[in-house]
Amino acid sequence: MHTRQEKLEAFGRLLDVLDNLREKCPWDRKQTYDSLRPHTIEEVYELCDAIMKGEKKEICKELGDVMEHIIFYCIIGAEKGDYDIADVCNAEAEKLIFRHPHIYGEAHVETTDDVSKLWEQVKQKEKDGNATVLAGVPAALPSLIKAYRIQDKARNVGFDWEERDDVWDKVYEEIGELREELRREDKERSLDELGDFLFSVVNAARLYHLNPDTALERTNKKFITRFNYVEQKAREMGKDLKDMTLGEMDKLWDEAKALSKREEKP
């Protein structure tokens, strides 16, 4: 690993490179907050994908891409006279110090739950802090992640199940209500009940310390791998999926499942 001085020098080098590009590269000169935003979202998703795959070199690469965007926004901010990279770093350091009174102050905590509750209490006291408990949940978050964050913030102020096993009664209740509305063929009510059911499943995942977004993405990747196997085998058989029966596809699907399970074994 590098020394602190080497890390500072590396960060300074990246700042110099990006300043140079902003000045001399036609594409970099043209960029604005709005033009960079979609690229930033893409880079963050690519980082998350690399983390999911556990590919260390890719994680390092994608971290660099995300860092580039952060610095780029700071360059634009400096050009407008609003802030620069030093303002961003100092503001973040001050915020972290303020939000960790158990490290930099007199507060006492023993567990991670204690830290989470203290975090919410401190955020409420900040000068520009959130006016309500749920105000800090970004509106633009994907719905699955947003549901988890909403529930987690409510938990930090004591609004939660007393026993986590009790959540299953709610899950069964919600799926029953969903099935009833589906039976009635009421689309709007069915959408409402589907949302309630999904929210209850996210709640169960949270209570058992499982990340629903990670779980769903694992299943997405597993489905893609198995379906690709079915498609490949169909081609090898000289068949088109659209012309195959469900039974024929299910047989190939079972082969894909058996193969993936063998590959998962150590």
Side-chain angles (χ1 to χ4, degrees), residues 22-225:
R22 179 63 169 178
E23 179 185 351
K24 299 176 181 178
C25 174
W27 188 90
D28 288 276
R29 281 203 307 266
K30 187 179 178 181
Q31 299 313 304
T32 65
Y33 289 136
D34 290 336
S35 68
L36 281 175
R37 180 179 173 276
H39 297 294
T40 305
I41 294 171
E42 181 180 339
E43 294 298 351
V44 172
Y45 273 109
E46 288 179 355
L47 170 60
C48 293
D49 189 52
I51 292 171
M52 284 286 295
K53 293 176 181 177
E55 297 175 349
K56 297 177 182 179
K57 289 185 178 179
E58 281 299 304
I59 293 173
C60 182
K61 171 183 172 296
E62 299 302 339
L63 281 170
D65 290 342
V66 171
M67 189 180 299
E68 175 195 346
H69 279 246
I70 293 171
I71 295 172
F72 215 141
Y73 288 120
C74 291
I75 291 173
I76 295 173
E79 292 170 351
K80 294 176 178 292
D82 297 332
Y83 57 85
D84 62 14
I85 188 69
D87 295 317
V88 171
C89 291
N90 285 325
E92 186 65 18
E94 290 299 325
K95 181 174 70 175
L96 289 173
I97 291 170
F98 183 78
R99 290 185 181 180
H100 289 78
H102 54 295
I103 303 297
Y104 296 98
E106 302 299 323
H108 176 72
V109 296
E110 294 184 357
T111 67
T112 55
D113 279 344
D114 291 340
V115 173
S116 296
K117 291 174 182 177
L118 179 62
W119 181 273
E120 291 299 330
Q121 294 169 8
V122 171
K123 284 171 69 176
Q124 293 288 319
K125 296 177 182 178
E126 287 179 346
K127 179 180 178 182
D128 298 319
N130 301 318
T132 65
V133 171
L134 301 181
V137 180
L141 277 179
S143 297
L144 190 66
I145 299 173
K146 186 190 294 185
Y148 191 98
R149 294 293 295 128
I150 288 170
Q151 295 165 5
D152 199 43
K153 283 186 172 292
R155 173 190 68 86
N156 286 334
V157 294
F159 190 74
D160 202 2
W161 302 91
E162 290 187 1
E163 299 292 336
R164 68 180 183 179
D165 284 351
D166 293 342
V167 74
W168 296 113
D169 290 336
K170 187 63 175 175
V171 172
Y172 300 142
E173 174 190 330
E174 296 297 352
I175 196 171
E177 292 177 358
L178 170 60
R179 294 181 67 179
E180 178 62 21
E181 295 304 333
L182 289 171
R183 184 185 65 78
R184 293 176 180 172
E185 297 185 353
D186 187 327
K187 186 171 182 180
E188 288 303 312
R189 291 283 300 167
S190 294
L191 275 173
D192 289 341
E193 295 301 339
L194 176 59
D196 291 346
F197 169 63
L198 292 173
F199 196 83
S200 68
V201 171
V202 171
N203 229 335
R206 177 185 60 81
L207 289 164
Y208 284 85
H209 307 293
L210 300 172
N211 187 299
D213 185 68
T214 300
L216 184 58
E217 183 57 18
R218 283 188 179 184
T219 296
N220 288 340
K221 292 181 180 300
K222 184 166 56 180
F223 184 92
I224 290 171
T225 299

Side-chain angles (χ1 to χ4, degrees), residues 230 237 239 243-253:
V230 172
M237 295 163 61
K239 294 184 177 182
D243 300 325
M244 295 178 68
T245 66
L246 182 59
E248 289 175 321
M249 287 189 283
D250 276 342
K251 183 179 179 181
L252 294 176
W253 181 265

